[in-house]
């Protein structure tokens, strides 16, 4: 079957010998398509346009519901990344006995607790590298469903830990699930989103992460006594169970279905997502992309070889986007954002009581959510580049103020700077690298590209965390000057090489890199 015949005659797909998958896999899809079944039949039997073009579609009920179900995965990442922050004291020290088979606490030194905290990044690295394979093997929806396994096992090990080693093992396993989730979820969101609102829908990924962090801070405050720390580290099991229960209501990515030859089902899902039977314009772009991939003479060719994390940089058309997403994610960590969050508690405790500083730290989480939400509202209006560069410029100023405040003991300015850094990072430099990482690659390379992007993020996290204290011991609070320099250098590179992707199909963006 040629690309053109497939576009013109949607109803001939079944006759062409492509076995349709179970179209009734999602109750949302059944309900939505029943309303437009008459339009669907007409569209399949005629080349005439029926209804509005899908490329002009807004966000439908099916699209929004599927997105909200899937972003429970990055929400779990946000929860797990911060779950050990608040209850450190009650986890490691206890002065009384407790009538239970589970110990009241898990006595450990700072090195062991640091291992329990940092091992999460190791798991995240492995999870992110495996995510591309998972997304291609089981599909986007299937991969996120199976990815709940580490989100079940990890919290169970931590909640019922008898030794510090069990806590460490639980963190490692939760990290694996977290690493995979923040690769697959943004990919899924970009593939189901309408072209004109892809940025808004994709930023639900970052919003869910910061909501997860906020939930952790709230539960940490409530569970900050006695044996209740086990509730704090085990709450992730509730989130995993919730997603496993409702994931059947989400649809699979139509772009993934198309790439697997399931073209009847891909059209049906796309109609449901767009609320119109006229999907020929959008499907036409997919078919054109497939035709371009099979007609080139480059070696290796996308038509000849699968794109994996081991060979993506061997394909000329993917080298520049691959390098850019690596720098976007690694540069995000070089901005020092995680060390800023680390400093928040110590800075606030210098001026306020532990109770007040805990509340103010929680308010940083609230600010993080509000600022991220503002980015989601404007990213498709103003574009990716303006949002990214405005965020980086504001971060440069606020981190400079933070470094100066800490160096000269300006406590009030230091507290204000903490909030400014968060408000600067959350709407732009936080979510935009994740969004661009899903827009720079076509469906064949999206899994591998996403895996490399998040692997760079995890490696940046580890390197900055490992180097921060030694560098600080040498140059003091002027270490923040390193972060400012990284922001300036990365910003200059991004200004020259990162294209604007607002309003463009992924196929058009990929062509610009060729």
């Amino acid at each position: 079957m040629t690309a053109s015949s497939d576009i013109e005659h949607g109803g001939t797909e079944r006759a062409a010998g492509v076995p349709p998958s179970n179209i009734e896999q999602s109750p949302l899809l059944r309900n939505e398509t029943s309303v437009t079944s008459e339009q669907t039949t007409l569209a399949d039997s005629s080349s005439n346009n029926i209804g509005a073009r899908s490329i002009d579609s807004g966000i439908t009920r099916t699209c929004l519901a599927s997105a909200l179900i899937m972003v429970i995965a990055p929400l779990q990442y946000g929860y797990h990344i911060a779950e050990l922050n608040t209850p450190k004291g009650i986890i490691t020290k206890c002065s009384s006995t407790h009538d239970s088979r589970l110990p009241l606490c898990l006595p450990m030194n700072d090195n062991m607790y640091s291992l329990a905290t940092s091992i999460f990044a190791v798991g995240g690295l492995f999870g992110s590298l495996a995510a591309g394979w998972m997304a291609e093997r089981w599909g986007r929806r299937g991969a996120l469903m199976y990815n709940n396994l580490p989100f079940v096992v990890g919290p169970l090990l931590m909640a019922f830990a008898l030794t510090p080693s069990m806590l460490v093992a639980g963190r490692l396993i939760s990290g694996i699930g977290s690493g995979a989730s923040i690769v697959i979820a943004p990919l899924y969101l970009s593939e189901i989103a309408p072209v004109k609102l892809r940025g808004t829908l994709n930023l639900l990924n970052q919003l869910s992460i910061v909501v997860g962090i906020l939930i952790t801070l709230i539960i940490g405050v409530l569970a900050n006594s006695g044996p209740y720390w086990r509730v704090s580290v085990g709450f992730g099991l509730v989130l995993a169970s919730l997603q496993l229960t409702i994931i059947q209501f989400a649809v699979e990515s139509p772009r993934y279905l198309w790439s697997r030859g399931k073209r009847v089902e891909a059209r049906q899902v796309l109609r449901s997502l767009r609320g119109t039977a006229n999907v020929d314009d959008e499907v036409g772009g997919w078919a054109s992309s497939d035709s371009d991939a099979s007609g080139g003479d480059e070696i290796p060719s996308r038509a000849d070889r699968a794109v994996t994390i081991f060979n993506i940089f061997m394909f000329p058309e993917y080298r520049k986007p691959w390098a850019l997403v690596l720098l976007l994610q690694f540069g995000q960590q070089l901005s020092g954002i995680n060390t800023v969050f680390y400093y928040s508690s110590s800075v606030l405790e210098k001026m306020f009581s532990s109770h007040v500083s805990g509340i103010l730290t929680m308010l940083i989480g609230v600010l993080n959510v509000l600022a991220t939400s503002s980015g989601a509202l404007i990213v498709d209006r103003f574009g990716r580049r303006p949002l990214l560069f405005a965020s980086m410029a504001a971060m440069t100023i606020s981190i400079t103020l933070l470094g100066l405040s800490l160096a000269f003991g300006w406590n009030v300015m230091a507290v204000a700077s903490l909030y400014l850094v968060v408000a600067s990072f959350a709407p732009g430099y936080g979510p935009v690298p994740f969004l661009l990482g899903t827009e720079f690659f076509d469906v064949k390379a999206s899994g591998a590209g996403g895996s490399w992007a998040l692997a760079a993020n995890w490696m940046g996290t580890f390197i900055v965390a490992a180097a921060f204290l030694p560098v600080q011991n040498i140059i003091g609070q002027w270490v923040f000057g390193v972060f400012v320099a990284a922001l300036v250098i990365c910003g200059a590179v991004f200004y020259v090489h990162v294209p604007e992707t607002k309003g463009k199909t992924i196929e058009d963006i990929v062509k610009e890199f060729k």
Side-chain angles (χ1 to χ4, degrees):
M1 182 191 305
T2 65
S4 59
S5 64
D6 181 72
I7 298 170
E8 294 174 0
H9 302 289
T12 64
E13 294 158 353
R14 187 185 302 267
V18 180
S21 297
N22 182 12
I23 298 175
E24 304 207 0
Q25 59 181 316
S26 166
L28 282 176
L29 179 58
R30 290 200 301 269
N31 294 339
E32 189 97 4
T33 54
S34 64
V35 178
T36 60
S37 59
E38 183 176 351
Q39 286 183 311
T40 298
T41 302
L42 290 171
D44 284 343
S45 62
S46 172
S47 61
N48 295 328
N49 290 338
I50 302 296
R53 298 190 312 162
S54 65
I55 205 166
D56 298 322
S57 171
I59 296 176
T60 63
R61 181 190 66 180
T62 299
C63 185
L64 180 60
S66 296
L68 292 176
I69 290 170
M70 291 311 191
V71 296
I72 296 175
L75 187 146
Q76 293 182 78
Y77 159 73
Y79 186 89
H80 286 296
I81 199 172
E83 64 191 345
L84 293 187
N85 287 355
T86 302
K88 177 183 177 182
I90 59 172
I91 291 177
T92 59
K93 298 176 183 178
C94 50
S95 57
S96 60
T97 59
H98 185 67
D99 187 17
S100 173
R101 293 183 178 181
L102 296 174
L104 184 62
C105 65
L106 301 175
M108 66 184 89
N109 57 31
D110 288 344
N111 289 336
M112 190 66 178
Y113 195 82
S114 295
L115 176 62
T117 302
S118 59
I119 199 72
F120 181 81
V122 177
L125 176 60
F126 285 116
S128 63
L129 289 173
W133 175 84
M134 293 168 60
E136 296 303 315
R137 174 66 177 83
W138 296 312
R140 289 32 168 165
R141 190 183 76 158
L144 287 175
M145 180 180 69
Y146 290 125
N147 193 53
N148 280 290
L149 177 60
F151 283 141
V152 169
V153 176
L156 281 176
L157 280 174
M158 290 186 286
F160 293 98
L162 301 175
T163 65
S165 297
M166 288 182 67
L167 185 71
V168 170
R171 286 281 291 172
L172 175 65
I173 294 171
S174 294
I176 293 172
S178 297
S181 71
I182 54 174
V183 174
I184 304 169
L187 176 60
Y188 176 85
L189 294 174
S190 284
E191 290 183 349
I192 70 167
V195 173
K196 294 182 178 180
L197 295 172
R198 188 172 58 239
T200 298
L201 196 71
N202 194 281
L203 260 64
L204 285 178
N205 173 72
Q206 184 71 14
L207 182 60
S208 68
I209 292 174
V210 298
V211 168
I213 294 173
L214 179 59
I215 293 173
T216 309
L217 295 175
I218 295 172
I219 292 180
V221 170
L222 298 177
N224 195 19
S225 63
Y228 298 110
W229 63 269
R230 295 184 181 275
V231 175
S232 180
V233 298
F235 184 76
L237 179 63
V238 176
L239 299 175
S241 300
L242 173 63
Q243 187 172 47
L244 282 171
T245 301
I246 63 177
I247 200 168
Q248 61 175 317
F249 294 99
V251 298
E252 180 55 275
S253 158
R255 189 67 182 93
Y256 171 78
L257 293 172
W258 182 273
S259 71
R260 286 294 182 265
K262 300 177 181 179
R263 309 217 164 162
V264 171
E265 185 175 352
R267 281 179 174 272
Q268 191 80 332
V269 171
L270 188 60
R271 291 178 185 124
S272 177
L273 287 169
R274 300 294 180 260
T276 179
N278 182 10
V279 297
D280 284 355
D281 54 345
E282 200 163 346
V283 170
W286 301 349
S288 175
S289 176
D290 293 343
S291 177
D292 290 343
S294 62
D297 296 327
E298 293 175 344
I299 297 177
S301 167
R302 285 180 290 166
D304 299 330
R305 297 176 58 186
V307 181
T308 70
I309 60 172
F310 303 107
N311 68 4
I312 184 172
F313 39 80
M314 297 173 63
F315 293 80
E317 63 267 43
Y318 297 139
R319 285 175 188 157
K320 183 174 180 179
W322 173 75
L324 282 176
V325 296
L326 289 183
L327 186 57
L328 280 163
Q329 292 288 352
F330 193 79
Q332 184 195 76
Q333 294 308 307
L334 289 182
S335 71
I337 185 63
N338 283 331
T339 59
V340 169
F341 279 114
Y342 168 77
Y343 254 94
S344 62
S345 297
S346 60
V347 170
L348 293 172
E349 286 173 358
K350 290 180 180 178
M351 300 183 61
F352 307 99
S353 67
S354 59
H355 177 70
V356 173
S357 64
I359 294 175
L360 292 175
T361 300
M362 189 168 61
L363 290 178
I364 289 179
V366 174
L367 175 62
N368 205 4
V369 172
L370 295 176
T372 303
S373 301
S374 69
L377 294 175
I378 64 176
V379 65
D380 281 316
R381 180 178 180 183
F382 295 103
R384 285 56 158 158
R385 282 172 58 91
L387 192 60
L388 176 64
F389 296 132
S391 174
M392 295 180 74
M395 282 193 73
T396 301
I397 296 171
S398 55
I399 288 181
T400 300
L401 290 175
L402 178 61
L404 292 173
S405 301
L406 293 173
F408 293 106
W410 303 335
N411 289 337
V412 175
M413 178 64 75
V415 173
S417 299
L418 283 173
Y419 285 90
L420 286 174
V421 171
V422 174
S424 302
F425 175 82
Y429 207 15
V432 171
F434 289 92
L435 171 59
L436 293 176
T438 67
E439 294 181 322
F440 284 179
F441 301 101
D442 58 23
V443 69
K444 289 192 175 183
S446 55
S451 288
W452 269 110
L454 270 298
N457 188 289
W458 287 108
M459 287 187 283
T461 300
F462 178 79
I463 291 172
V464 171
F468 179 73
L469 288 178
V471 175
Q472 186 187 37
N473 290 335
I474 297 173
I475 63 176
Q477 306 302 345
W478 301 105
V479 66
F480 287 94
V482 176
F483 302 142
V484 170
L487 280 164
V488 172
I489 294 170
C490 289
V493 175
F494 298 156
Y495 185 83
V496 174
H497 295 287
V498 172
E500 179 56 72
T501 59
K502 184 188 80 168
K504 301 176 182 177
T505 66
I506 291 177
E507 288 73 28
D508 288 338
I509 297 168
V510 170
K511 287 179 182 178
E512 291 183 14
F513 282 113
K514 291 185 179 179

